[in-house]
Amino acid sequence: MTWRSVRACLLLAMLLAGLGLPSGASAQQGQGFQRQQVQIILREGLSAILERHLEPAAPSDLVLWSLRGLSAVDPGLAVQVQGGTLALSLQGRLLGERPLSGLLPAAAAQALADEQASRAAEMLLRFYIEAWNASATLQRAGANRMLQAGFDEIFNHLDPYSRYIDAEEAEAARQRRVGQSGLGFRLAAGQRGALVIAVLNPGSIAAQGGVREGDVLLAIDGVPVSSRRISQAAELLEGPSGSSVELTLRRGRQQLTLVLQRDSQGGQALRAEWSEGILWLHLRAFSTMTTEWIIEALNSAFSGPTPPRGVVLDLRGNRGGLLGQAMTVSDAFLTQGVIAQSAGRHPEARRVWEAGGHDLARGRPVVVLVDGRTASSAEIVAAALSDRARAVVVGSATLGKGLIQIVYPLANGAEVLVSWSRVLAPLGWPVQGLGIIPAVCTSLGADSLRGALQALSQGTSPMAPVLQRLRQARAPVPASEVAALRAQCPPAEGRPWDQEAARYLIDHPAAYQAAAGP
């Protein structure tokens, strides 16, 4: 499947969204099994997996796993493979059987993903129809529930983050990507692609500025918006604290324009504080404005007459966010070289991000705080600054989420999220599973931390052998090695002495240098 076919899927999904599969017993009864739409959904979902998933999958396995998933809806269903033939039964009664010939091995399926997905989808469709006709339980549950169960079982065998999202959840996820600008309202998809003010917080900036629930949002700063381009609307709604945004609205037959002033506090995910000559940057998430906020905070701090002695970037509890923002935030501290890499089976999954800016911290010591809740984009930043010896990481082992998903919309309004590449740190080791191992571990207790800081002040890094072993790891890393490395600094929530360790490192250049490495 090419990017052109992906775009075609998007158009197909929008065209068929209004004709989506019914869900629930009341909708399904009397309407039968919508064969054509189920086949489209199966074919497009399986094609995405075969072509782009990080690990190769055999089409025959996808068929087998999908059928086994139906037993989550009707436990009386059973699947067997014998002599290359797949058989489906209900309460011991054979419903159908088919040979798996014509389905290629995993290694060969990617090059013929569309053709193999079509074969597999056609086979699955016949089994689904036979199961539907024989099972009143499936008929009551509905075709959407069958698809959910089938894809759920497939993704159970692939990775922790690939998943099938039903139409209702997918729509909710799209809506969550808008209205998070601190203006005090939430948008929802209306009829014919409209974006409607669905929830308006009393006393909010939007409410005080004249926005009303039920208003249709036509444009943001003159740029037309619709529910079909929700991510664009989300980006347009966000902006620097104190800035203004122009909303073009339709209220009944009237069109009006309102200019709102964003809160000077902004509800920002970044909080910048000064303490004893140190700039503390508390970053809760990576949104569209994160890099701008980081740059503004650094430039403001270092343009004054007394610049900071050091910078602490606190990523504890940060679950990640936009991947691109992780790269640009890292670039704010680096002048050149690799920030991160991604690798996958599909050629388009392979990328290298490189720094090309200026170190806005001007060479001052940088300490990154992490804990067991730090994940995704936050881990990428910590890995980049640590591998490049630009920062010392303090805390505990992080979550270890280093897979990138691509989103495929389906004809029933649902989506499949397929993990298609893994993030590699600048030195080539995978973030997935391993997470970030700090140079200064705080999760082993205060006594252990005091001993580590004393050793660092004498030029010895207790974690150096562990970090060397980590940086030599290559995907796929055996589970035993992952467990052994993470046990050296077990994941834990942020500790009160994390900040003490950061302050100590900035106050003691020799200890900082020993922890940062060469």
Side-chain angles (χ1 to χ4, degrees), residues 152-239:
D152 282 351
E153 183 62 17
I154 287 174
F155 290 130
N156 283 343
H157 290 268
L158 294 178
D159 72 271
Y161 304 111
S162 292
R163 62 192 184 277
Y164 174 97
I165 300 177
D166 66 26
E168 183 177 352
E169 186 182 351
E171 178 60 27
R174 287 190 288 269
Q175 291 183 25
R176 284 195 297 271
R177 294 195 283 264
V178 299
Q180 299 180 14
S181 59
L183 298 174
F185 62 82
R186 180 185 298 176
L187 295 170
Q191 296 181 347
R192 300 177 182 176
L195 278 177
V196 179
I197 307 295
V199 178
L200 183 65
N201 298 335
S204 65
I205 296 170
Q208 294 176 14
V211 177
R212 297 180 187 175
E213 287 188 4
D215 287 350
V216 176
L217 181 60
L218 302 176
I220 302 169
D221 287 333
V223 180
V225 294
S226 73
S227 62
R228 294 185 177 91
R229 303 188 68 182
I230 284 181
S231 59
Q232 180 196 36
E235 293 180 3
L236 291 171
L237 282 171
E238 292 200 44

Side-chain angles (χ1 to χ4, degrees), residues 419-470:
S419 294
W420 75 317
S421 63
R422 59 168 54 90
V423 177
L424 305 178
L427 296 180
W429 53 274
V431 173
Q432 175 64 25
L434 287 168
I436 309 304
I437 308 296
V440 179
C441 181
T442 64
S443 63
L444 297 175
D447 290 341
S448 174
L449 175 60
R450 279 192 291 269
L453 293 177
Q454 184 177 4
L456 286 167
S457 66
Q458 297 171 357
T460 300
S461 172
M463 293 295 291
V466 179
L467 295 178
Q468 183 179 13
R469 186 169 156 188
L470 169 77

Side-chain angles (χ1 to χ4, degrees), residues 26 40 54 118 127 181 228 243 251 265 292 308 317 338 401:
S26 61
I40 290 172
L54 189 61
S118 294
F127 277 122
S181 59
R228 294 185 177 91
S243 64
R251 183 177 298 161
Q265 302 302 315
E292 185 169 334
V338 174
K401 184 184 184 301

Side-chain angles (χ1 to χ4, degrees), residues 301-351:
F302 282 93
S303 62
T306 308
R309 296 184 295 114
V311 177
V312 178
L313 180 59
D314 190 347
L315 300 178
R316 293 174 300 174
N318 188 315
R319 308 296 286 183
L322 299 178
L323 178 66
Q325 292 290 310
M327 304 306 171
T328 49
V329 166
S330 301
D331 195 15
F333 296 92
L334 299 169
T335 57
Q336 60 182 355
V338 174
I339 294 173
Q341 309 168 60
S342 66
R345 288 192 304 137
H346 196 280
E348 293 173 6
R350 300 163 198 161
R351 289 193 61 183

Side-chain angles (χ1 to χ4, degrees), residues 49-116:
I49 295 168
L50 291 174
E51 183 183 19
R52 293 184 182 264
H53 191 268
L54 189 61
E55 302 295 342
S60 57
D61 285 338
L62 299 184
V63 172
L64 173 63
W65 296 334
S66 179
L67 284 181
R68 283 180 175 168
L70 298 185
S71 64
V73 183
D74 187 341
L77 291 165
V79 185
Q80 274 190 322
V81 179
Q82 190 170 9
T85 297
L86 185 63
L88 176 68
S89 61
L90 177 64
Q91 304 292 353
R93 178 170 63 90
L94 182 67
L95 301 180
E97 58 182 358
R98 287 171 186 82
L100 293 171
S101 56
L103 298 180
L104 298 175
Q110 182 182 21
L112 297 170
D114 285 342
E115 185 267 340
Q116 286 292 292

